[in-house]
Amino acid sequence: MPEGDSVYRAALKLDQALHGATVTRFELRVPQAATIDLRGEIVHEVLPRGKHILHRIGAHTLHSHLKMEGEWHVYRRGERWRAPAFKARAVIGATAPDGTEWETVGFDLADIAVVPTTDEDTLVGHLGPDLLADSWDPVDAARRLAADTRPVHVALQDQRNIAGFGNEYVNEILFVRGVIPTTPASQTDAAALVDVGSRMIRANRDRSGRTFTGDSRPGRSTWVYRREGRPCRRCGTPIRGGSLGADPTRERIVFWCPNCQR
């Protein structure tokens, strides 16, 4: 599943193309929204909210979530799509104020919905503080995390606590802070975890290649994520792997160093 920084960059690219543009084509290829037509409306902005993308168009908001495989592409009108048309779930054509004609396409999207912009909270109001928003509130985020008694690996990924962290970030945060993934979140230094995590994701926000170690070369960018059986970069102990989740249907792969994380 895309992390918050990936969603941020996707929304920024969409906004750069569509901001202030007039919609000329609006197709949602999902049954619950297939008849909605926003042609002729102005795109006010496209923005991320945690892992969600919101297109504010006229008086309405188009909401989408990338889930595991979704992605938005931006094309000049007439440019060949880089994914099969049968995977397209949303197509927005628009003419920018400078006359440029754009076509943005959402492939394999999930949770598509259109609501009045005044009702956006019905879709994203449950989310916790947004890591990459101007309104980011680390104190509230730490408070929510500290009140969660579940394993910290699970609590950090709960978007109701903090909006934006995914599995890769959580594994790396816990390594850097030396915390075992199964530790109850309520027994950790929640403020320190939030601080490290927010600095990580903000540092990666504008990078084309994500890194946690400071080295962006292939195979060198992570401390523990997907490094099971390989030596810890700090102490040489083999990295361990397993899975954790809020329930059996939401388990995520987890990695840790048994020596550095205690």
Side-chain angles (χ1 to χ4, degrees):
M1 183 177 292
E3 308 273 351
D5 54 352
S6 298
V7 176
Y8 177 92
R9 288 191 294 273
L12 178 63
K13 189 174 182 179
L14 288 165
D15 188 68
Q16 289 171 339
L18 298 177
H19 195 109
T22 301
V23 176
T24 57
R25 181 181 182 184
F26 191 82
E27 297 178 16
L28 300 181
R29 301 177 180 180
V30 292
Q32 70 272 20
T35 61
I36 297 172
D37 187 358
L38 297 182
R39 286 178 297 174
E41 300 287 355
I42 302 297
V43 181
H44 301 301
E45 61 183 334
V46 183
L47 68 160
R49 181 72 173 90
K51 297 186 180 183
H52 304 251
I53 292 179
L54 306 175
H55 288 71
R56 290 177 176 163
I57 305 172
H60 290 81
T61 295
L62 165 64
H63 163 270
S64 61
H65 197 296
L66 303 184
K67 292 292 186 180
M68 294 296 291
E69 298 178 350
E71 54 186 356
W72 277 96
H73 293 187
V74 176
Y75 302 99
R76 297 273 183 155
R77 183 75 53 82
E79 188 179 355
R80 185 175 180 178
W81 293 358
R82 298 186 300 275
F86 73 85
K87 291 189 174 185
R89 297 294 177 264
V91 183
I92 303 174
T95 303
D98 66 359
T100 305
E101 295 187 343
W102 297 100
E103 194 165 63
T104 60
V105 188
F107 295 97
D108 292 322
L109 301 178
D111 298 338
I112 296 174
V114 176
V115 299
T117 298
T118 53
D119 294 340
E120 271 183 10
D121 275 357
T122 63
L123 300 174
V124 295
H126 65 287
L127 297 175
D130 188 332
L131 283 154
L132 296 177
D134 292 339
S135 59
W136 163 241
D137 186 345
V139 175
D140 186 28
R143 177 188 62 78
R144 292 172 184 241
L145 185 63
D148 199 322
T149 59
R150 296 174 299 172
V152 65
H153 185 270
V154 173
L156 276 169
Q157 291 188 76
D158 191 328
Q159 302 300 293
R160 296 169 299 180
N161 289 334
I162 305 169
F165 286 143
N167 197 35
E168 186 174 2
Y169 269 97
V170 169
N171 277 283
E172 296 295 294
I173 291 166
L174 295 179
F175 173 80
V176 170
R177 285 298 304 168
V179 178
I180 286 285
T182 52
T183 306
S186 56
Q187 296 179 20
T188 67
D189 185 340
L193 291 172
V194 167
D195 177 64
V196 166
S198 64
R199 286 190 285 115
M200 281 182 176
I201 199 167
R202 285 175 175 261
N204 281 319
R205 180 182 61 187
D206 302 320
R207 289 178 175 146
S208 58
R210 182 184 299 144
T211 180
F212 299 94
T213 62
D215 189 339
S216 58
R217 290 176 295 176
R220 304 286 299 177
S221 62
T222 63
W223 293 105
V224 292
Y225 187 69
R226 293 192 180 279
R227 298 194 66 246
E228 182 178 5
R230 299 179 186 177
C232 174
R233 299 192 192 281
R234 282 183 176 170
C235 71
T237 302
I239 299 299
R240 292 184 184 175
S243 61
L244 277 174
D247 59 58
T249 67
R250 290 182 285 174
E251 288 192 344
R252 299 287 184 268
I253 51 177
V254 58
F255 306 93
W256 72 99
C257 172
N259 182 55
C260 296
Q261 292 168 259
R262 294 186 177 182

